[in-house]
Amino acid sequence: RWVRVAIGLAVAVGGPALATLIAVSWMVEGTGVPELLYILAVAAAAVAGGFIAGFLAAGLSIFGLAYYFTPPDRSFDVSSTQDVIGLVVFAVAATVATELIARQRTGRIRAQRSEQVQERAVDRTARLQALTASLSEPLDLDEVAGAVVEHGVDALGADTGAVMELDAEGQHLRVLAQRAGGREGTGPWTDGPVDPRLPAGEAVRSGDVVATSTRRETRRRWPGLAGALRSLEPASIAVVPLLLEGRALGCIAMTWSDSRQLPNEDREFLLAVGRQCAQAMERAHLFSSERQALAEAETARRRVAFLARFGSALSGTLEYEETLSRAAGMCIPELADFVVAFLVDSIGRVDRVVATHVDPDLAPEVAEFERTYRPDPGNPVSLVARVLRTHRTEMMAEVPDDFVPSIAKD
């Protein structure tokens, strides 16, 4: 807007000056050519800058006509009534020309703006429909956030965008997805506590859209924003809370590197995206809980079935060696790849070792292990020896590199 104003004022001043220079240098008084040049200058100013520029050019043109081309020369004193009438006629003609051209220009600009608004409205509607379609499928939280960032950032032309989730205690925000420069997963936003002195925390705490339109306003409103955004200093920012039944689930944040107003249609679009995102996040939580419950139920079912098979296998014989072998075999591959069963005698010594491995090609090595290996009761790092001493279950989630050499025998 200010660029158009500057161009209009430049044409309003430069047009009459150029017309004066041409008329003084090459034209002859009384031919009507100066008046025509000045009318063209007024028309050009009205086209470039509208009413103000046109009227300014008309005023400067009248001064030029009166000073250079109305007797006496080089004076603003008009000697005859006919010359006064001529200047008045020129002023009326310039005013009418300015009015007509400026009105036409204004109408054209309004039509262009209306067309742009309609195009943006159609684009937003299409993006909302696409977002609704994407979020209608069973998605996890990361997929929901990714879809929202993609559609929201593209629709509003933001430089960066992020979706953040509020934890159950309402004290911490976690970045689910963000985008910067058209690339997913990159951006200035970071996880952190809810701070009402920053835009995301303010939006979550207030439950309303927060936005700034200039860099000065952004700096004044949130002095610590640059430090929170990895030294990024946006000119404009907008954050919309994700509300579900009055409860904040997180927020959507966007930034622009240039000054930008947030008109009502953009605000409404952000609120609509926020509602869609909040509902989808809630569905994602429910879907995740359902999948977890189904997984736990399946795990419980498999455990019960395994115990039933295990008990049935053990009850089929009274031979302890066969029972021990069956017990080790039943655990492959349900519980492990390699299973060793130890049987102790009445005084606590290991009397029998049964081993089995999921890979049948290792049968010779397994047989040799059964024949020769007996745990050392005095070895402090041996899990078998420790279990035999304490009668308590031992679990090693990750086997260190030096564990096997420490319990191995030559």
Side-chain angles (χ1 to χ4, degrees):
R1 176 187 177 185
W2 293 111
V3 173
R4 292 199 303 268
V5 171
I7 293 175
L9 293 177
V11 175
V13 175
L18 180 61
T20 301
L21 179 63
I22 295 174
V24 169
S25 300
W26 294 300
M27 302 302 173
V28 181
E29 294 182 29
T31 61
V33 173
E35 289 83 352
L36 178 60
L37 291 176
Y38 282 124
I39 285 293
L40 291 176
V42 171
V47 170
F51 290 101
I52 296 177
F55 288 135
L56 176 59
L60 294 176
S61 296
I62 292 173
F63 281 118
L65 278 174
Y67 189 80
Y68 289 103
F69 305 105
T70 302
D73 293 343
R74 305 298 190 271
S75 173
F76 289 109
D77 295 331
V78 181
S79 59
S80 68
T81 303
Q82 183 178 358
D83 292 334
V84 172
I85 294 175
L87 290 175
V88 171
V89 170
F90 176 83
V92 171
T95 301
V96 171
T98 298
E99 183 77 15
L100 293 175
I101 295 174
R103 284 186 181 276
Q104 185 180 13
R105 175 181 179 273
T106 302
R108 185 175 65 254
I109 292 176
R110 287 178 178 174
Q112 291 175 348
R113 289 177 179 173
S114 177
E115 183 178 353
Q116 292 173 355
V117 169
Q118 291 177 357
E119 290 177 353
R120 288 198 299 267
V122 171
D123 179 69
R124 291 191 187 96
T125 301
R127 290 187 180 278
L128 277 177
Q129 291 174 346
L131 180 61
T132 301
S134 299
L135 299 182
S136 63
E137 301 176 1
L139 305 175
D140 59 26
L141 278 177
D142 292 337
E143 292 171 331
V144 169
V148 170
V149 166
E150 177 184 356
H151 290 282
V153 170
D154 288 346
L156 297 180
D159 296 305
T160 73
V163 174
M164 290 175 272
E165 181 190 25
L166 188 65
D167 65 3
E169 291 75 23
Q171 300 299 321
H172 194 273
L173 284 168
R174 179 172 69 93
V175 177
L176 296 177
Q178 61 178 319
R179 190 179 188 189
R183 294 183 299 172
E184 301 289 343
T186 61
W189 305 93
T190 57
D191 301 345
V194 177
D195 188 349
R197 296 170 299 179
L198 297 175
E202 181 179 340
V204 169
R205 286 287 184 257
S206 66
D208 195 9
V209 177
V210 297
T212 55
S213 57
T214 65
R215 196 179 306 276
R216 177 178 296 180
E217 181 186 3
T218 301
R219 289 174 176 172
R220 184 176 64 252
R221 186 165 182 176
W222 303 300
L225 181 60
L229 292 183
R230 299 175 181 171
S231 300
L232 176 70
E233 284 195 84
S236 307
I237 190 168
V239 183
V240 57
L242 304 177
L243 300 177
L244 184 67
E245 298 178 353
R247 177 170 55 94
L249 303 182
C251 65
I252 302 173
M254 297 184 187
T255 68
W256 293 264
S257 59
D258 56 350
S259 297
R260 177 187 176 92
Q261 296 286 342
L262 189 68
N264 289 334
E265 57 267 24
D266 288 352
R267 183 182 292 266
E268 292 300 323
F269 175 78
L270 274 176
L271 289 172
V273 172
R275 288 191 293 268
Q276 294 268 18
C277 184
Q279 294 169 3
M281 287 174 63
E282 184 69 9
R283 290 195 300 270
H285 280 298
L286 295 176
F287 181 64
S288 177
S289 299
E290 181 181 358
R291 284 193 301 184
Q292 183 178 355
L294 289 175
E296 292 175 353
E298 177 63 17
T299 300
R301 185 195 66 77
R302 292 176 57 187
R303 287 174 178 172
V304 171
F306 173 77
L307 289 176
R309 295 195 305 271
F310 194 80
S312 176
L314 296 185
S315 64
T317 179
L318 297 178
E319 297 294 331
Y320 74 89
E321 290 188 0
E322 186 176 352
T323 299
L324 196 62
S325 179
R326 286 186 179 184
M330 286 291 294
C331 295
I332 300 291
E334 290 280 352
L335 301 181
D337 295 330
F338 181 46
V339 176
V340 182
F342 299 92
L343 186 67
V344 297
D345 58 16
S346 58
I347 60 175
R349 294 178 304 180
V350 175
D351 181 56
R352 183 80 168 89
V353 176
V354 175
T356 182
H357 197 279
V358 70
D359 186 358
D361 294 338
L362 297 179
E365 288 82 357
V366 172
E368 179 67 14
F369 180 86
E370 288 183 341
R371 188 180 65 82
T372 61
Y373 179 76
R374 295 295 183 273
D376 181 5
N379 190 341
V381 299
S382 172
L383 293 184
V384 176
R386 194 183 308 165
V387 169
L388 293 178
R389 288 196 308 269
T390 64
H391 300 165
R392 292 181 179 179
T393 302
E394 294 282 346
M395 174 68 180
M396 182 176 288
E398 184 175 352
V399 180
D401 295 336
D402 60 346
F403 177 74
V404 174
S406 67
I407 64 171
K409 294 184 178 181
D410 295 333

